[in-house]
Amino acid sequence: MSRVRRVAVIAAPPVSMFNLAIPEMLFGKVEVDGGPGYETVICAPDPGPVTTSGGLDLHVPRGLDAVEDADTVILAGSGSYHDPDPRIIDTLRRAGAAGKRIASICTGSFALAAAGLLDGRAATTYWAYRELLAERHPAVDLQDDVLFVQDGPVLTSSGYAAGIDLCLHVIRTDHGAAVANTVARLALVAPVRPGGQAQFTLTPLPPERGASFGATRAWAMEHLDEPLTLSDLARHAGVSVRTLSRRFHAETGVSPLQWLLHQRVERAKELLETTALPMDLLARASGLGTADSLRQHVLRRTGLTPSAYRATFSRLAGGTPGSAVAPRPEAAAPSPPPSLPASLSASPSPSPLPSPSASGAVPVASMSR
């Protein structure tokens, strides 16, 4: 059985109850090899009653010593961002020196910056406090208008629901796309709004800002294996190609072809995890066309070849010791893994795809306020 990963969530009073609930909710839904994938512990500088930003008190029995046994440390947003507790700063510095993965949600980034963990790193925070963070910590490479950023072992997210995206990214990094997507379905949230670690998301997909083309995007998801063109998408939406391109970008933050590429790579990753398809058939099933194209895009997105990705994240019986299986309770009624298209035998030609991103090592995803 795989080792349970430990997550310590630090509650700095007055802590945001929503920030505090996100890690426990999402990590608690991960099951690996028949057991929990994570053990989440909430801790505070002073164990006992901890004031929340809503005026309530939470009982937190663990002190900051819980961080010593953690693999990942998450600092929840707090109203005391302007004056971080020195004990928390010291704990974060020791965790960084020990090589632990460290993350912040919302204003938790101020404590990470005060500990020196963000110096020279790309980072973000809640949009209303970006200018203050930049003023107080000019050594931080502050990213504007993003959901979350990962630079090495340090992750920072913007406000509120962006913490969900950050935690799903951590789960996807540890256990693969299929497990993260299942957790997202169980939590009734969007499975992929990535931005962050270069190893796993080099072509980020911003959050959608509108729904006028929602039906067309849903239709495209059912036809990813087909050679879709801009004309096909525009015809389905009942608009011109020019109108489609302009409004699609306004809604999603990316062009229609960039969106298609992202969805096809995600489909390929899920097929690598859940099937034993040969690479050429898998490439056609995901819409990437050829095994060479599959290798190029998966390697660019994940830092792993398709074979290495499958070996790491396979969910098939008899897979690798680290393969993960997410829970499937009947009440949640999640959709099954993507089925193989009947058109595989027709050898469809791949759709036109944009070139992989050539951006730097710390890509990010756009965020609307």
Side-chain angles (χ1 to χ4, degrees):
M1 180 174 292
S2 298
R3 181 180 68 85
V4 176
R5 290 177 166 87
R6 294 185 173 89
V7 178
V9 184
I10 299 177
V15 67
S16 164
M17 292 180 65
F18 183 60
N19 282 190
L20 209 55
I22 289 171
E24 189 281 328
M25 175 184 70
L26 295 177
F27 293 127
K29 295 184 183 299
V30 178
E31 184 177 315
V32 181
D33 296 336
Y38 297 93
E39 174 187 332
T40 305
V41 177
I42 297 175
C43 59
D46 296 305
V50 173
T51 304
T52 70
S53 55
L56 301 176
D57 284 347
L58 295 177
H59 181 72
V60 179
R62 293 295 304 274
L64 295 177
D65 60 299
V67 171
E68 296 178 7
D69 297 326
D71 304 294
T72 300
V73 182
I74 300 178
L75 187 62
S78 168
S80 62
Y81 64 90
H82 50 82
D83 187 24
D85 190 312
R87 293 171 294 178
I88 292 179
I89 294 176
D90 181 62
T91 297
L92 291 173
R93 285 172 176 161
R94 285 188 280 109
K100 300 180 186 294
R101 180 167 55 190
I102 302 175
S104 66
I105 300 176
C106 195
T107 56
S109 55
F110 280 80
L112 268 62
L117 298 179
L118 300 184
D119 289 354
R121 295 186 186 275
T124 192
T125 191
Y126 183 47
W127 64 267
Y129 300 107
R130 286 191 205 126
E131 291 186 4
L132 181 61
L133 182 63
E135 178 184 336
R136 290 192 174 186
H137 302 283
V140 178
D141 180 12
L142 193 60
Q143 305 293 302
D144 292 329
D145 198 28
V146 301
L147 286 173
F148 67 89
V149 184
Q150 176 163 1
D151 191 335
V154 181
L155 302 90
T156 52
S157 78
S158 51
Y160 301 105
I164 296 175
D165 299 290
L166 183 148
C167 290
L168 286 175
H169 170 71
V170 169
I171 294 170
R172 185 175 293 107
T173 299
D174 291 343
H175 299 297
V179 172
N181 291 348
T182 298
V183 171
R185 286 194 292 267
L186 294 174
L188 299 179
V189 296
V192 181
R193 297 198 304 169
Q197 184 183 18
Q199 184 180 358
F200 284 94
T201 50
L202 201 57
T203 307
L205 186 65
E208 296 180 1
R209 298 181 174 87
S212 64
F213 289 140
T216 296
R217 290 193 289 273
W219 173 80
M221 289 293 292
E222 297 176 355
H223 297 81
L224 290 178
D225 62 302
E226 300 176 13
L228 298 178
T229 65
L230 286 176
S231 296
D232 294 329
L233 296 174
R235 187 179 306 110
H236 183 275
V239 297
S240 68
V241 170
R242 182 174 182 179
T243 297
L244 172 83
S245 298
R246 174 175 54 82
R247 288 170 51 188
F248 196 102
H249 191 282
E251 289 183 15
T252 66
V254 293
S255 72
L257 294 185
Q258 288 174 324
W259 182 87
L260 275 174
L261 174 60
H262 185 94
Q263 301 300 339
R264 283 168 166 155
V265 175
E266 288 300 309
R267 176 65 56 82
K269 288 163 62 179
E270 196 155 359
L271 288 172
L272 285 168
E273 298 171 26
T274 59
T275 76
L277 274 178
M279 296 304 173
D280 56 342
L281 292 183
L282 192 147
R284 288 157 55 186
S286 61
L288 292 176
T290 66
D292 286 343
S293 178
L294 170 72
R295 178 184 174 86
Q296 176 189 22
H297 289 293
V298 172
L299 181 61
R300 170 73 67 168
R301 185 70 59 82
T302 69
L304 301 172
T305 65
S307 296
Y309 186 91
R310 171 174 276 169
T312 302
F313 294 117
S314 174
R315 299 173 62 205
L316 299 178
T320 61
S323 58
V325 181
R328 277 188 183 276
E330 294 183 2
S335 57
S339 57
L340 303 185
S343 58
L344 274 180
S345 59
S347 300
S349 58
S351 303
L353 297 174
S355 300
S357 168
S359 59
V362 189
V364 293
S366 298
M367 179 197 73
S368 59
R369 296 186 181 184

